[in-house]
Amino acid sequence: KVWFSAPADQAEVTSPVQFKMNVSGMEIKPAGKPEDGTGHFHILVNQEAMAAGEVIINDELHKHYGKGQTEDTLELKPGKYRITLQFADGAHVSYGPAWAHTISVTVKAK
């Protein structure tokens, strides 16, 4: 399973927003050659979990953590967001909804 240890679901936050990413049952490894039982995180902004086998694109709504990072800070404009943490293999191929977790956050103006 994957989850955010920060922020909490339904949290009200200010930007920049710090995200802490966790996984249990898989090993975090940098992007590269796919290996069974390993992968890395992606944060999807206002996107739902991706189907297993789908390649995760890299753009402003799909953040890649291919160096094996477990934390990041994102600049988000004030508003309501659905943030999905998606685990994927070394080639950025999604492990599917079973390896994703979505939270809602509200970014307030400073």
Side-chain angles (χ1 to χ4, degrees):
K1 86 177 197 173
V2 298
W3 71 97
F4 289 109
S5 55
D9 189 27
Q10 304 296 324
E12 290 189 355
V13 296
T14 56
S15 195
V17 182
Q18 184 179 32
F19 292 93
K20 294 185 180 183
M21 304 169 266
N22 302 273
V23 65
S24 176
M26 290 265 195
E27 183 183 348
I28 297 169
K29 281 222 172 156
K33 184 175 178 240
E35 293 179 48
D36 286 345
T38 71
H40 60 277
F41 295 110
H42 300 78
I43 289 180
L44 313 180
V45 179
N46 290 330
Q47 308 291 309
E48 297 304 316
M50 298 182 69
E54 251 186 286
V55 175
I56 302 172
I57 62 172
N58 192 358
D59 65 13
E60 66 279 354
L61 301 178
H62 302 80
K63 308 287 184 185
H64 286 237
Y65 299 96
K67 293 180 182 164
Q69 305 97 307
T70 59
E71 294 186 15
D72 194 23
T73 303
L74 298 180
E75 291 285 344
L76 297 172
K77 293 179 180 167
K80 292 183 182 288
Y81 293 87
R82 287 184 53 76
I83 307 293
T84 298
L85 182 60
Q86 180 72 63
F87 208 68
D89 74 10
H92 310 288
V93 175
S94 171
Y95 282 119
W99 291 95
H101 178 71
T102 302
I103 62 171
S104 296
V105 296
T106 301
V107 177
K108 297 170 62 164
K110 287 186 179 174

